Amino acid sequence: MVLDGNWARRWVELAAASMAENRTELIHLDRNIGDGDHGENMDRGFQAALGKLTTLDAEATPADVLKLLATTLISTVGGAAGPLYGSAFLKGAVALKGKPELAPEDVATFVEAASAGLQQRGKAQPGDKTMVDAWAPAAAAAGKAAEAGEDAVAVLRAAAFAAVEGAAATEPLVARKGRASYLGERSAGHRDPGAQSTAYLLGAAVEAAS
Ligand code: ADP
Ligand code: MG
């Protein structure tokens, strides 16, 4: 499977399906340490992006699709996650500009750029119990897999797997950024909703390639 514009569209479709399917779980996670709207925010944003896919022309590159996703998330997702995911996907799209198909190192560059864009925007560090704790290990794993000579889909799979582990690893952490940080020590013992949605989104990217 080549990671081209059709793959990127399929990713948005499967991500939208995943956000709808996991809406309730993400709401529950955000209810534990936030205000309970993360599932609703993500579902709304991805449904809007899904609706806009038809505005793309047939030659749309992965960068075109991801830029549309980014701008749609920024304008439709209320809450912190909209601008944060928007910045991540926008920086990721810029890094892929003009490429009709992604080589293994392009996948790594995309995840690294997205992770860096997110950190630049939200100023969270790894360990602060945010979506950075899924994106940063995903970027590291993708870089390592590309360097090891894995193919593009395997690089993507390595990123998604690291995001799943990263999301689980947020459970014992004390939040230092976002709404959950208001709880201080009481935020420990719960998984970060944004890290979990990141794991689902990267999982959908892999699914779109299979
Ligand atoms: P809100 O917090 O405004 O209700 P959401 O519930 O949609 O927005 O998103 C919450 C998620 O956003 C958190 O679980 C966390 O992963 C992420 N988040 C919040 N602040 C930051 C930040 N400064 N940097 C990175 N991620 C953040
Ligand atoms: Mg919330």
Side-chain angles (χ1 to χ4, degrees):
M1 170 87 196
V2 288
L3 303 183
D4 57 5
N6 285 329
W7 159 76
R9 283 170 203 263
R10 185 89 189 115
W11 180 9
V12 174
E13 288 167 6
L14 293 175
S18 176
M19 291 302 102
E21 190 184 326
N22 296 297
R23 184 179 197 268
T24 310
E25 188 207 340
L26 294 172
I27 286 173
H28 282 297
L29 290 178
D30 196 32
R31 207 170 273 161
N32 289 332
I33 54 170
D35 57 356
D37 63 354
H38 189 61
E40 208 177 304
N41 289 343
M42 296 300 287
D43 188 23
R44 186 190 321 113
F46 275 84
Q47 285 305 319
L50 186 62
K52 284 195 186 169
L53 287 180
T54 52
T55 65
L56 290 165
D57 56 42
E59 291 81 46
T61 61
D64 296 330
V65 177
L66 293 165
K67 190 174 166 213
L68 177 70
L69 173 64
T71 53
T72 307
L73 294 178
I74 291 168
S75 60
T76 58
V77 177
L84 289 165
Y85 271 123
S87 301
F89 286 119
L90 204 55
K91 295 286 178 176
V94 168
L96 298 179
K97 203 166 160 46
K99 291 184 195 285
E101 253 179 52
L102 310 193
E105 54 274 20
D106 296 328
V107 177
T109 300
F110 164 72
V111 185
E112 283 157 7
S115 181
L118 165 64
Q119 289 182 59
Q120 210 174 14
R121 173 87 205 194
K123 308 277 181 260
Q125 300 294 320
D128 284 349
K129 196 181 181 99
T130 69
M131 57 176 81
V132 169
D133 291 313
W135 279 101
K144 215 168 142 189
E147 232 166 74
E150 304 274 4
D151 67 31
V153 177
V155 173
L156 196 55
R157 201 176 293 119
F161 186 74
V164 169
E165 289 193 322
T170 62
E171 281 176 21
L173 300 176
V174 172
R176 286 192 291 255
K177 279 278 185 277
R179 252 175 231 285
S181 66
Y182 308 157
L183 292 180
E185 299 287 329
R186 280 183 295 138
S187 63
H190 301 284
R191 185 176 299 213
D192 178 65
Q196 187 62 26
S197 58
T198 297
Y200 288 139
L201 294 181
L202 292 178
V206 174
E207 212 186 315
S210 27

